Amino acid sequence: RAAGRTQADERFGDTAYCCLFFARGACHLGPDCTFLHRVPTPQDDLKLDIIHDMFGRDRHATDRDDMRGTGNFNRMNRTLYIGGLKIMRGAEQTHKSLLRHMSEWGEVEQLRIIPSKAIAFVTFKYRVAAEFALEAMHCQTLDSDELLNIRWAYDDRNPAVQAMAEQALKDTLNEALQAQGISLTETSYHYPEEYHPNQAAPSEAERRFNASAGQ
């Protein structure tokens, strides 16, 4: 991959997206590319809105049938499913190899291997790292020449994990709104003196009587 400064650094600055083809190792434009040629950072994650991925593509309300693509903006997409592993040298060595390769794209929070199915699940700390790794490592090989099948993982059914994911999504939404100057702090509302919210609305007969009395 030809990492380095591109036109995106000069023309778009903090609003620039990363290059999808660079992530796949196939961008021929080099410094003339209008997208960033580098690995995403935690700062990229903070400035990214929920309806776009780190490559500038639209995210959707549901996942694709093949669980690839841009992911689902209704949940935190930070966990990848990895299939096609070869556990020839043991689960511990496979874990070390996979962790080394995945850590190139960002901080890994959790990596779990299921040897009996030759699959793994990796959770990144930041969504941008997971999105980059999905494109960078799909159909790539590790130390045992296995061809990786990488896609978004389904939701973890563990209630504790679901609660953490829901809170993380709320925190992300709050940070995005606050970055735009939108306050979520509750404020008290003062009703007019003549307004009584618990008072029942007058009946039709009462309204007619009041109207006639005022004439």
Side-chain angles (χ1 to χ4, degrees), residues 34-81:
T34 55
F35 291 84
L36 298 172
H37 279 200
R38 61 168 174 77
V39 173
T41 66
Q43 289 70 32
D44 293 325
D45 196 83
L46 289 175
K47 70 185 181 183
L48 192 65
D49 61 67
I50 65 170
I51 60 173
H52 294 98
D53 72 355
M54 64 162 304
F55 304 107
R57 300 177 298 181
D58 291 335
R59 300 174 76 207
H60 306 284
T62 57
D63 292 297
R64 273 181 21 180
D65 290 341
D66 62 359
M67 293 301 288
R68 282 191 50 79
T70 57
N72 181 344
F73 61 65
N74 283 313
R75 62 187 180 91
M76 290 298 294
N77 294 100
R78 296 188 296 117
T79 301
L80 301 177
Y81 162 93

Side-chain angles (χ1 to χ4, degrees), residues 79-122:
T79 301
L80 301 177
Y81 162 93
I82 304 174
L85 294 174
K86 291 182 179 180
I87 320 291
M88 298 172 60
R89 296 182 299 166
E92 183 177 353
Q93 284 299 112
T94 302
H95 186 281
K96 290 180 179 179
S97 174
L98 193 56
L99 181 61
R100 174 166 52 85
H101 284 279
M102 289 297 167
S103 296
E104 294 183 23
W105 319 119
E107 183 178 346
V108 174
E109 281 191 338
Q110 184 182 50
L111 175 59
R112 182 164 62 98
I113 295 178
I114 304 178
S116 60
K117 297 184 178 180
I119 63 174
F121 296 90
V122 57

